[in-house]
PDB file of all heavy atoms in Angstrom:
ATOM      1  N   LEU Y   1     181.913 132.125 277.262  1.00 94.00           N
ATOM      2  CA  LEU Y   1     182.094 132.965 276.081  1.00 94.00           C
ATOM      3  C   LEU Y   1     181.477 134.347 276.279  1.00 94.00           C
ATOM      4  O   LEU Y   1     182.058 135.369 275.904  1.00 94.00           O
ATOM      5  CB  LEU Y   1     181.482 132.284 274.853  1.00 94.00           C
ATOM      6  CG  LEU Y   1     181.566 133.047 273.533  1.00 94.00           C
ATOM      7  CD1 LEU Y   1     183.022 133.288 273.138  1.00 94.00           C
ATOM      8  CD2 LEU Y   1     180.844 132.285 272.418  1.00 94.00           C
ATOM      9  N   ASN Y   2     180.290 134.395 276.874  1.00 95.00           N
ATOM     10  CA  ASN Y   2     179.617 135.673 277.115  1.00 95.00           C
ATOM     11  C   ASN Y   2     178.493 135.484 278.127  1.00 95.00           C
ATOM     12  O   ASN Y   2     178.223 134.359 278.567  1.00 95.00           O
ATOM     13  CB  ASN Y   2     179.078 136.284 275.812  1.00 95.00           C
ATOM     14  CG  ASN Y   2     178.042 135.385 275.133  1.00 95.00           C
ATOM     15  OD1 ASN Y   2     177.079 134.930 275.748  1.00 95.00           O
ATOM     16  ND2 ASN Y   2     178.239 135.111 273.848  1.00 95.00           N
ATOM     17  N   GLN Y   3     177.838 136.583 278.458  1.00 95.00           N
ATOM     18  CA  GLN Y   3     176.652 136.554 279.321  1.00 95.00           C
ATOM     19  C   GLN Y   3     175.456 136.985 278.479  1.00 95.00           C
ATOM     20  O   GLN Y   3     175.359 138.145 278.078  1.00 95.00           O
ATOM     21  CB  GLN Y   3     176.832 137.509 280.505  1.00 95.00           C
ATOM     22  CG  GLN Y   3     175.635 137.561 281.447  1.00 95.00           C
ATOM     23  CD  GLN Y   3     175.376 136.244 282.150  1.00 95.00           C
ATOM     24  OE1 GLN Y   3     176.304 135.595 282.607  1.00 95.00           O
ATOM     25  NE2 GLN Y   3     174.117 135.833 282.236  1.00 95.00           N
ATOM     26  N   PRO Y   4     174.524 136.070 278.159  1.00 96.00           N
ATOM     27  CA  PRO Y   4     173.391 136.433 277.309  1.00 96.00           C
ATOM     28  C   PRO Y   4     172.559 137.562 277.905  1.00 96.00           C
ATOM     29  O   PRO Y   4     172.373 137.634 279.121  1.00 96.00           O
ATOM     30  CB  PRO Y   4     172.575 135.132 277.217  1.00 96.00           C
ATOM     31  CG  PRO Y   4     173.555 134.051 277.511  1.00 96.00           C
ATOM     32  CD  PRO Y   4     174.510 134.638 278.505  1.00 96.00           C
ATOM     33  N   ARG Y   5     172.055 138.406 277.049  1.00 93.00           N
ATOM     34  CA  ARG Y   5     171.242 139.539 277.477  1.00 93.00           C
ATOM     35  C   ARG Y   5     169.808 139.105 277.747  1.00 93.00           C
ATOM     36  O   ARG Y   5     169.344 138.082 277.241  1.00 93.00           O
ATOM     37  CB  ARG Y   5     171.246 140.614 276.380  1.00 93.00           C
ATOM     38  CG  ARG Y   5     170.487 140.217 275.120  1.00 93.00           C
ATOM     39  CD  ARG Y   5     170.745 141.184 273.996  1.00 93.00           C
ATOM     40  NE  ARG Y   5     172.139 141.117 273.552  1.00 93.00           N
ATOM     41  CZ  ARG Y   5     172.688 141.977 272.696  1.00 93.00           C
ATOM     42  NH1 ARG Y   5     171.949 142.945 272.178  1.00 93.00           N
ATOM     43  NH2 ARG Y   5     173.955 141.858 272.336  1.00 93.00           N
ATOM     44  N   TYR Y   6     169.114 139.906 278.529  1.00 91.00           N
ATOM     45  CA  TYR Y   6     167.678 139.720 278.701  1.00 91.00           C
ATOM     46  C   TYR Y   6     166.971 140.521 277.622  1.00 91.00           C
ATOM     47  O   TYR Y   6     167.334 141.667 277.350  1.00 91.00           O
ATOM     48  CB  TYR Y   6     167.224 140.188 280.080  1.00 91.00           C
ATOM     49  CG  TYR Y   6     167.660 139.291 281.210  1.00 91.00           C
ATOM     50  CD1 TYR Y   6     168.740 139.645 282.025  1.00 91.00           C
ATOM     51  CD2 TYR Y   6     167.011 138.091 281.457  1.00 91.00           C
ATOM     52  CE1 TYR Y   6     169.157 138.824 283.057  1.00 91.00           C
ATOM     53  CE2 TYR Y   6     167.425 137.257 282.491  1.00 91.00           C
ATOM     54  CZ  TYR Y   6     168.490 137.628 283.284  1.00 91.00           C
ATOM     55  OH  TYR Y   6     168.898 136.802 284.297  1.00 91.00           O
ATOM     56  N   ALA Y   7     165.969 139.931 277.017  1.00 89.00           N
ATOM     57  CA  ALA Y   7     165.224 140.631 275.972  1.00 89.00           C
ATOM     58  C   ALA Y   7     164.351 141.714 276.607  1.00 89.00           C
ATOM     59  O   ALA Y   7     163.629 141.449 277.568  1.00 89.00           O
ATOM     60  CB  ALA Y   7     164.367 139.647 275.197  1.00 89.00           C
ATOM     61  N   SER Y   8     164.443 142.924 276.094  1.00 90.00           N
ATOM     62  CA  SER Y   8     163.632 144.029 276.607  1.00 90.00           C
ATOM     63  C   SER Y   8     162.203 143.912 276.075  1.00 90.00           C
ATOM     64  O   SER Y   8     161.948 143.237 275.066  1.00 90.00           O
ATOM     65  CB  SER Y   8     164.234 145.374 276.192  1.00 90.00           C
ATOM     66  OG  SER Y   8     164.197 145.514 274.775  1.00 90.00           O
ATOM     67  N   LEU Y   9     161.291 144.559 276.752  1.00 93.00           N
ATOM     68  CA  LEU Y   9     159.879 144.512 276.333  1.00 93.00           C
ATOM     69  C   LEU Y   9     159.693 145.046 274.911  1.00 93.00           C
ATOM     70  O   LEU Y   9     158.979 144.428 274.112  1.00 93.00           O
ATOM     71  CB  LEU Y   9     159.004 145.284 277.322  1.00 93.00           C
ATOM     72  CG  LEU Y   9     157.493 145.279 277.021  1.00 93.00           C
ATOM     73  CD1 LEU Y   9     156.963 143.852 276.961  1.00 93.00           C
ATOM     74  CD2 LEU Y   9     156.734 146.093 278.068  1.00 93.00           C
ATOM     75  N   PRO Y  10     160.317 146.182 274.533  1.00 93.00           N
ATOM     76  CA  PRO Y  10     160.167 146.649 273.143  1.00 93.00           C
ATOM     77  C   PRO Y  10     160.671 145.627 272.125  1.00 93.00           C
ATOM     78  O   PRO Y  10     160.047 145.435 271.072  1.00 93.00           O
ATOM     79  CB  PRO Y  10     161.013 147.933 273.111  1.00 93.00           C
ATOM     80  CG  PRO Y  10     161.025 148.409 274.519  1.00 93.00           C
ATOM     81  CD  PRO Y  10     161.052 147.175 275.356  1.00 93.00           C
ATOM     82  N   ASN Y  11     161.784 144.955 272.446  1.00 93.00           N
ATOM     83  CA  ASN Y  11     162.312 143.961 271.508  1.00 93.00           C
ATOM     84  C   ASN Y  11     161.431 142.717 271.446  1.00 93.00           C
ATOM     85  O   ASN Y  11     161.349 142.061 270.401  1.00 93.00           O
ATOM     86  CB  ASN Y  11     163.740 143.570 271.907  1.00 93.00           C
ATOM     87  CG  ASN Y  11     164.744 144.652 271.578  1.00 93.00           C
ATOM     88  OD1 ASN Y  11     164.495 145.511 270.741  1.00 93.00           O
ATOM     89  ND2 ASN Y  11     165.885 144.624 272.251  1.00 93.00           N
ATOM     90  N   ILE Y  12     160.794 142.375 272.576  1.00 94.00           N
ATOM     91  CA  ILE Y  12     159.853 141.254 272.577  1.00 94.00           C
ATOM     92  C   ILE Y  12     158.670 141.571 271.664  1.00 94.00           C
ATOM     93  O   ILE Y  12     158.195 140.712 270.907  1.00 94.00           O
ATOM     94  CB  ILE Y  12     159.369 140.950 274.008  1.00 94.00           C
ATOM     95  CG1 ILE Y  12     160.529 140.387 274.844  1.00 94.00           C
ATOM     96  CG2 ILE Y  12     158.209 139.957 273.995  1.00 94.00           C
ATOM     97  CD1 ILE Y  12     160.195 140.197 276.310  1.00 94.00           C
ATOM     98  N   MET Y  13     158.207 142.812 271.701  1.00 94.00           N
ATOM     99  CA  MET Y  13     157.089 143.215 270.841  1.00 94.00           C
ATOM    100  C   MET Y  13     157.523 143.234 269.380  1.00 94.00           C
ATOM    101  O   MET Y  13     156.779 142.808 268.493  1.00 94.00           O
ATOM    102  CB  MET Y  13     156.584 144.601 271.263  1.00 94.00           C
ATOM    103  CG  MET Y  13     156.071 144.668 272.702  1.00 94.00           C
ATOM    104  SD  MET Y  13     154.782 143.443 273.055  1.00 94.00           S
ATOM    105  CE  MET Y  13     153.472 144.062 271.984  1.00 94.00           C
ATOM    106  N   LYS Y  14     158.745 143.699 269.113  1.00 94.00           N
ATOM    107  CA  LYS Y  14     159.257 143.713 267.739  1.00 94.00           C
ATOM    108  C   LYS Y  14     159.415 142.299 267.196  1.00 94.00           C
ATOM    109  O   LYS Y  14     159.210 142.048 266.002  1.00 94.00           O
ATOM    110  CB  LYS Y  14     160.595 144.448 267.678  1.00 94.00           C
ATOM    111  CG  LYS Y  14     160.512 145.950 267.921  1.00 94.00           C
ATOM    112  CD  LYS Y  14     161.897 146.571 267.901  1.00 94.00           C
ATOM    113  CE  LYS Y  14     161.846 148.062 268.208  1.00 94.00           C
ATOM    114  NZ  LYS Y  14     163.206 148.663 268.246  1.00 94.00           N
ATOM    115  N   ALA Y  15     159.786 141.373 268.075  1.00 94.00           N
ATOM    116  CA  ALA Y  15     160.019 139.991 267.647  1.00 94.00           C
ATOM    117  C   ALA Y  15     158.755 139.346 267.103  1.00 94.00           C
ATOM    118  O   ALA Y  15     158.825 138.443 266.260  1.00 94.00           O
ATOM    119  CB  ALA Y  15     160.574 139.178 268.815  1.00 94.00           C
ATOM    120  N   LYS Y  16     157.601 139.804 267.577  1.00 93.00           N
ATOM    121  CA  LYS Y  16     156.340 139.231 267.106  1.00 93.00           C
ATOM    122  C   LYS Y  16     156.095 139.524 265.628  1.00 93.00           C
ATOM    123  O   LYS Y  16     155.329 138.819 264.968  1.00 93.00           O
ATOM    124  CB  LYS Y  16     155.176 139.770 267.939  1.00 93.00           C
ATOM    125  CG  LYS Y  16     155.205 139.336 269.401  1.00 93.00           C
ATOM    126  CD  LYS Y  16     154.016 139.879 270.167  1.00 93.00           C
ATOM    127  CE  LYS Y  16     154.044 139.409 271.622  1.00 93.00           C
ATOM    128  NZ  LYS Y  16     152.894 139.925 272.384  1.00 93.00           N
ATOM    129  N   LYS Y  17     156.753 140.568 265.100  1.00 94.00           N
ATOM    130  CA  LYS Y  17     156.560 140.948 263.700  1.00 94.00           C
ATOM    131  C   LYS Y  17     157.668 140.406 262.788  1.00 94.00           C
ATOM    132  O   LYS Y  17     157.565 140.531 261.569  1.00 94.00           O
ATOM    133  CB  LYS Y  17     156.500 142.473 263.584  1.00 94.00           C
ATOM    134  CG  LYS Y  17     155.328 143.102 264.341  1.00 94.00           C
ATOM    135  CD  LYS Y  17     155.304 144.615 264.176  1.00 94.00           C
ATOM    136  CE  LYS Y  17     154.148 145.239 264.940  1.00 94.00           C
ATOM    137  NZ  LYS Y  17     154.120 146.719 264.789  1.00 94.00           N
ATOM    138  N   LYS Y  18     158.711 139.838 263.391  1.00 95.00           N
ATOM    139  CA  LYS Y  18     159.790 139.299 262.572  1.00 95.00           C
ATOM    140  C   LYS Y  18     159.356 137.976 261.950  1.00 95.00           C
ATOM    141  O   LYS Y  18     158.621 137.195 262.564  1.00 95.00           O
ATOM    142  CB  LYS Y  18     161.053 139.117 263.407  1.00 95.00           C
ATOM    143  CG  LYS Y  18     161.673 140.436 263.863  1.00 95.00           C
ATOM    144  CD  LYS Y  18     162.944 140.198 264.665  1.00 95.00           C
ATOM    145  CE  LYS Y  18     163.579 141.507 265.106  1.00 95.00           C
ATOM    146  NZ  LYS Y  18     164.815 141.286 265.886  1.00 95.00           N
ATOM    147  N   PRO Y  19     159.798 137.683 260.727  1.00 95.00           N
ATOM    148  CA  PRO Y  19     159.312 136.491 260.015  1.00 95.00           C
ATOM    149  C   PRO Y  19     159.908 135.181 260.526  1.00 95.00           C
ATOM    150  O   PRO Y  19     161.084 135.121 260.885  1.00 95.00           O
ATOM    151  CB  PRO Y  19     159.740 136.754 258.572  1.00 95.00           C
ATOM    152  CG  PRO Y  19     160.951 137.622 258.694  1.00 95.00           C
ATOM    153  CD  PRO Y  19     160.712 138.494 259.892  1.00 95.00           C
ATOM    154  N   ILE Y  20     159.056 134.160 260.580  1.00 96.00           N
ATOM    155  CA  ILE Y  20     159.490 132.793 260.857  1.00 96.00           C
ATOM    156  C   ILE Y  20     158.981 131.911 259.720  1.00 96.00           C
ATOM    157  O   ILE Y  20     157.778 131.779 259.508  1.00 96.00           O
ATOM    158  CB  ILE Y  20     158.957 132.271 262.203  1.00 96.00           C
ATOM    159  CG1 ILE Y  20     159.572 133.048 263.371  1.00 96.00           C
ATOM    160  CG2 ILE Y  20     159.265 130.777 262.351  1.00 96.00           C
ATOM    161  CD1 ILE Y  20     159.099 132.586 264.733  1.00 96.00           C
ATOM    162  N   GLU Y  21     159.908 131.337 258.978  1.00 96.00           N
ATOM    163  CA  GLU Y  21     159.566 130.456 257.858  1.00 96.00           C
ATOM    164  C   GLU Y  21     159.423 129.030 258.375  1.00 96.00           C
ATOM    165  O   GLU Y  21     160.281 128.544 259.108  1.00 96.00           O
ATOM    166  CB  GLU Y  21     160.664 130.527 256.799  1.00 96.00           C
ATOM    167  CG  GLU Y  21     160.394 129.701 255.552  1.00 96.00           C
ATOM    168  CD  GLU Y  21     161.525 129.794 254.553  1.00 96.00           C
ATOM    169  OE1 GLU Y  21     162.556 130.421 254.877  1.00 96.00           O
ATOM    170  OE2 GLU Y  21     161.393 129.220 253.452  1.00 96.00           O
ATOM    171  N   GLU Y  22     158.324 128.382 258.002  1.00 96.00           N
ATOM    172  CA  GLU Y  22     158.086 127.015 258.469  1.00 96.00           C
ATOM    173  C   GLU Y  22     158.410 126.004 257.371  1.00 96.00           C
ATOM    174  O   GLU Y  22     157.992 126.155 256.228  1.00 96.00           O
ATOM    175  CB  GLU Y  22     156.638 126.845 258.932  1.00 96.00           C
ATOM    176  CG  GLU Y  22     156.314 127.641 260.187  1.00 96.00           C
ATOM    177  CD  GLU Y  22     154.964 127.266 260.774  1.00 96.00           C
ATOM    178  OE1 GLU Y  22     154.270 126.394 260.171  1.00 96.00           O
ATOM    179  OE2 GLU Y  22     154.593 127.830 261.824  1.00 96.00           O
ATOM    180  N   LYS Y  23     159.180 124.992 257.758  1.00 96.00           N
ATOM    181  CA  LYS Y  23     159.580 123.927 256.846  1.00 96.00           C
ATOM    182  C   LYS Y  23     159.351 122.582 257.513  1.00 96.00           C
ATOM    183  O   LYS Y  23     158.976 122.496 258.686  1.00 96.00           O
ATOM    184  CB  LYS Y  23     161.065 124.083 256.472  1.00 96.00           C
ATOM    185  CG  LYS Y  23     161.401 125.334 255.671  1.00 96.00           C
ATOM    186  CD  LYS Y  23     161.004 125.176 254.222  1.00 96.00           C
ATOM    187  CE  LYS Y  23     161.528 126.299 253.367  1.00 96.00           C
ATOM    188  NZ  LYS Y  23     161.220 126.097 251.922  1.00 96.00           N
ATOM    189  N   THR Y  24     159.605 121.518 256.777  1.00 94.00           N
ATOM    190  CA  THR Y  24     159.578 120.166 257.333  1.00 94.00           C
ATOM    191  C   THR Y  24     160.883 119.457 256.948  1.00 94.00           C
ATOM    192  O   THR Y  24     161.549 119.867 255.986  1.00 94.00           O
ATOM    193  CB  THR Y  24     158.391 119.359 256.800  1.00 94.00           C
ATOM    194  OG1 THR Y  24     158.570 119.141 255.388  1.00 94.00           O
ATOM    195  CG2 THR Y  24     157.073 120.083 257.050  1.00 94.00           C
ATOM    196  N   PRO Y  25     161.242 118.405 257.655  1.00 95.00           N
ATOM    197  CA  PRO Y  25     162.450 117.665 257.268  1.00 95.00           C
ATOM    198  C   PRO Y  25     162.385 117.162 255.832  1.00 95.00           C
ATOM    199  O   PRO Y  25     163.411 117.101 255.138  1.00 95.00           O
ATOM    200  CB  PRO Y  25     162.482 116.501 258.265  1.00 95.00           C
ATOM    201  CG  PRO Y  25     161.780 117.036 259.474  1.00 95.00           C
ATOM    202  CD  PRO Y  25     160.695 117.913 258.928  1.00 95.00           C
ATOM    203  N   ALA Y  26     161.172 116.812 255.366  1.00 93.00           N
ATOM    204  CA  ALA Y  26     161.017 116.326 253.992  1.00 93.00           C
ATOM    205  C   ALA Y  26     161.402 117.392 252.978  1.00 93.00           C
ATOM    206  O   ALA Y  26     161.878 117.066 251.873  1.00 93.00           O
ATOM    207  CB  ALA Y  26     159.579 115.870 253.766  1.00 93.00           C
ATOM    208  N   ASP Y  27     161.205 118.663 253.327  1.00 94.00           N
ATOM    209  CA  ASP Y  27     161.586 119.752 252.413  1.00 94.00           C
ATOM    210  C   ASP Y  27     163.087 119.745 252.143  1.00 94.00           C
ATOM    211  O   ASP Y  27     163.543 120.234 251.105  1.00 94.00           O
ATOM    212  CB  ASP Y  27     161.185 121.108 252.993  1.00 94.00           C
ATOM    213  CG  ASP Y  27     159.676 121.286 253.059  1.00 94.00           C
ATOM    214  OD1 ASP Y  27     158.971 120.673 252.228  1.00 94.00           O
ATOM    215  OD2 ASP Y  27     159.204 122.018 253.947  1.00 94.00           O
ATOM    216  N   TYR Y  28     163.846 119.198 253.076  1.00 94.00           N
ATOM    217  CA  TYR Y  28     165.295 119.136 252.925  1.00 94.00           C
ATOM    218  C   TYR Y  28     165.776 117.731 252.589  1.00 94.00           C
ATOM    219  O   TYR Y  28     166.982 117.468 252.555  1.00 94.00           O
ATOM    220  CB  TYR Y  28     165.971 119.624 254.206  1.00 94.00           C
ATOM    221  CG  TYR Y  28     165.653 121.066 254.529  1.00 94.00           C
ATOM    222  CD1 TYR Y  28     164.800 121.397 255.579  1.00 94.00           C
ATOM    223  CD2 TYR Y  28     166.195 122.099 253.775  1.00 94.00           C
ATOM    224  CE1 TYR Y  28     164.505 122.720 255.879  1.00 94.00           C
ATOM    225  CE2 TYR Y  28     165.899 123.429 254.060  1.00 94.00           C
ATOM    226  CZ  TYR Y  28     165.049 123.729 255.113  1.00 94.00           C
ATOM    227  OH  TYR Y  28     164.757 125.038 255.392  1.00 94.00           O
ATOM    228  N   GLY Y  29     164.820 116.823 252.361  1.00 93.00           N
ATOM    229  CA  GLY Y  29     165.177 115.460 251.981  1.00 93.00           C
ATOM    230  C   GLY Y  29     165.837 114.661 253.085  1.00 93.00           C
ATOM    231  O   GLY Y  29     166.666 113.784 252.814  1.00 93.00           O
ATOM    232  N   VAL Y  30     165.459 114.935 254.336  1.00 93.00           N
ATOM    233  CA  VAL Y  30     166.084 114.261 255.479  1.00 93.00           C
ATOM    234  C   VAL Y  30     165.066 113.358 256.164  1.00 93.00           C
ATOM    235  O   VAL Y  30     163.951 113.780 256.470  1.00 93.00           O
ATOM    236  CB  VAL Y  30     166.645 115.285 256.489  1.00 93.00           C
ATOM    237  CG1 VAL Y  30     167.235 114.567 257.700  1.00 93.00           C
ATOM    238  CG2 VAL Y  30     167.694 116.168 255.834  1.00 93.00           C
ATOM    239  N   ASP Y  31     165.461 112.122 256.405  1.00 92.00           N
ATOM    240  CA  ASP Y  31     164.642 111.165 257.140  1.00 92.00           C
ATOM    241  C   ASP Y  31     165.013 111.246 258.615  1.00 92.00           C
ATOM    242  O   ASP Y  31     166.161 111.007 258.989  1.00 92.00           O
ATOM    243  CB  ASP Y  31     164.886 109.746 256.610  1.00 92.00           C
ATOM    244  CG  ASP Y  31     164.058 108.686 257.325  1.00 92.00           C
ATOM    245  OD1 ASP Y  31     163.150 109.073 258.093  1.00 92.00           O
ATOM    246  OD2 ASP Y  31     164.321 107.489 257.118  1.00 92.00           O
ATOM    247  N   VAL Y  32     164.039 111.605 259.463  1.00 91.00           N
ATOM    248  CA  VAL Y  32     164.320 111.775 260.892  1.00 91.00           C
ATOM    249  C   VAL Y  32     163.877 110.556 261.705  1.00 91.00           C
ATOM    250  O   VAL Y  32     163.780 110.628 262.934  1.00 91.00           O
ATOM    251  CB  VAL Y  32     163.644 113.052 261.445  1.00 91.00           C
ATOM    252  CG1 VAL Y  32     164.227 114.288 260.793  1.00 91.00           C
ATOM    253  CG2 VAL Y  32     162.135 113.009 261.245  1.00 91.00           C
ATOM    254  N   THR Y  33     163.627 109.431 261.047  1.00 89.00           N
ATOM    255  CA  THR Y  33     163.265 108.213 261.766  1.00 89.00           C
ATOM    256  C   THR Y  33     164.384 107.843 262.742  1.00 89.00           C
ATOM    257  O   THR Y  33     165.552 107.778 262.342  1.00 89.00           O
ATOM    258  CB  THR Y  33     163.038 107.044 260.787  1.00 89.00           C
ATOM    259  OG1 THR Y  33     162.033 107.419 259.852  1.00 89.00           O
ATOM    260  CG2 THR Y  33     162.598 105.797 261.535  1.00 89.00           C
TER     261      THR Y  33
END
């Protein structure tokens, strides 16, 4: 489909400030047993 790009150093630094929301399977009512 494509050739994935390599992340540049500036973008790697920017990624550290981008938000990551943490959830659990229970938050979505899913049993992962």
